[in-house]
Amino acid sequence: AGAGVLDSVKRARCSSIACAPPPMTLVLVYLWLPAFAAGFAQPHVHRLQGSAHRVSFQRVQHRACLSAARAEADDEWPLLRDVRRAVHDYALIQPGDRIAVAVSGGKDSSTLAFLLKRLKERRLLPFDDWSFTTVHLDQVQPGHDAQSLEAWLEGEGIDFHLLREDTYSVVTEKTRPGASYCSLCSRLRRGILYTAAAELKSNRLALGHHRDDALETLLLNMVHQGQLKALPARYRARRGIDVIRPLMYIGEKQIAEFASSRGFPILPCNLCGSQPDGTPGQRQQMKLLLSALDGLGDGKARANMLTALADVRPTHLLDRDLREACGLDRASGALRYERGRAVAHGEPNEAAAEEATAEEEAAAERRRLLAQLDRQKKEITLLGSELGRARREADRSRRKLQQADGQAKTAHRRSAAATRPAASREVSR
């Protein structure tokens, strides 16, 4: 800047400077230069400071917008992450799938429909050629109105189909006193949804069951049915439709908080969770049991139980058929086939001993089979030798027979020639 000012001063034709002697000119330049430089630079400094303040304010505004967007998306990201993990672990969604999503109007199915929409919008799967539509079943319950659910889904841009079947009357009539509505109601609804999915050309039916539903079903089957069985994340129905549960890794508390924060419309159900006499149903009792388990240990009982459903150890269970199907010994659970190595759990020393025992048994079986093969080879060789000797004896006997036959014919001719009369011999001669 100073060099530029000096050049401008040299080019300027100022009379006061031009008329002054050279030493005085230098003095005037040195006296006038700082003031000129300050006056020249001050507006630029103010402009730069104003630009800096504007940029800083814009950055603050941008950060505020990002924070607001993140705050809005943060409540959905943990759920989307768990849904994507379930989709990856069990191949719940594949390219070209058409999915029918059953929405009952409760918090679970509404959350499922919304998360699937966001999963597709944010392109969280490695493919985009899949689609879904929602299906709502009106069971003709007293006071049931699905208009709020339909309006919400249409506002979210989600395809909606409404079915109407009077299953409410059937359930209330067919359920015996003291029994639960849930079993018959779920079977009827499931059959209607299978038919609707087939009519909509959907190859998959998505249900809103979550982690707590699976754990409650596990406890119900253990306590009331004597079976170790829960809700799978995916299974093939008899009608050829894959039933999937994308919310399997999400707890009911998370879903309830998310649905409440987003204001999803909730349609009440007069059948779910109640008995004909108004007492809590079996599933409600299992909810109470899970709530009691939450107070034990580190408070991770539900997460640990879900992990246990994915880490089954047949060697430490009593199902002999399961052991045999897994390649283990039916009685002891020891490893018998290579396919059972993945589930042959146990202590390190025990596992090593079982593996060594299995290897020794396999080696002994191999030696036994080799010895048996050698014996069979020797027997075949002996049979071949005996067969050769028998053939040679038969050849010798045949040659002796032919030789004896020739001798007999010669003797016969000689005896016949000796008995003929002399005249005959003369005529013959």
Side-chain angles (χ1 to χ4, degrees), residues 9 15-32:
V9 169
S15 59
S16 61
I17 297 178
C19 297
M24 192 63 184
T25 301
L26 294 176
V27 172
L28 289 175
V29 169
Y30 290 145
L31 291 176
W32 178 67

Side-chain angles (χ1 to χ4, degrees), residues 36-50:
F36 178 79
F40 177 80
Q42 191 68 24
H44 296 283
V45 172
H46 286 302
R47 284 197 298 271
L48 290 174
Q49 289 178 350

Side-chain angles (χ1 to χ4, degrees), residues 97-101 112-118 120 130-134 157-159 202:
D97 280 345
R98 293 175 56 88
I99 305 172
V101 182
L112 173 60
F114 180 82
L115 291 178
L116 288 179
K117 187 199 81 164
R118 295 295 292 151
K120 189 170 182 62
W130 63 279
S131 61
F132 74 96
T133 183
T134 57
I158 301 175
D159 192 20
S202 299

Side-chain angles (χ1 to χ4, degrees), residues 367-385:
R367 289 193 298 269
R368 186 184 67 80
L369 292 176
L370 290 175
Q372 182 178 359
L373 181 61
D374 291 338
R375 287 195 300 270
Q376 291 177 353
K377 287 182 178 180
K378 290 179 180 178
E379 291 177 358
I380 292 174
T381 303
L382 292 175
L383 290 176
S385 301

Side-chain angles (χ1 to χ4, degrees), residues 278-289:
T279 60
Q282 295 176 349
R283 187 167 290 274
Q284 293 295 326
Q285 296 172 4
M286 297 303 107
K287 286 182 181 291
L288 296 175
L289 179 57

Side-chain angles (χ1 to χ4, degrees), residues 91-98 125-131 203-204:
L92 301 184
I93 303 176
Q94 294 180 345
D97 280 345
R98 293 175 56 88
L125 298 181
F127 47 85
D128 292 331
D129 55 335
W130 63 279
S131 61
N203 62 323
R204 305 207 175 198

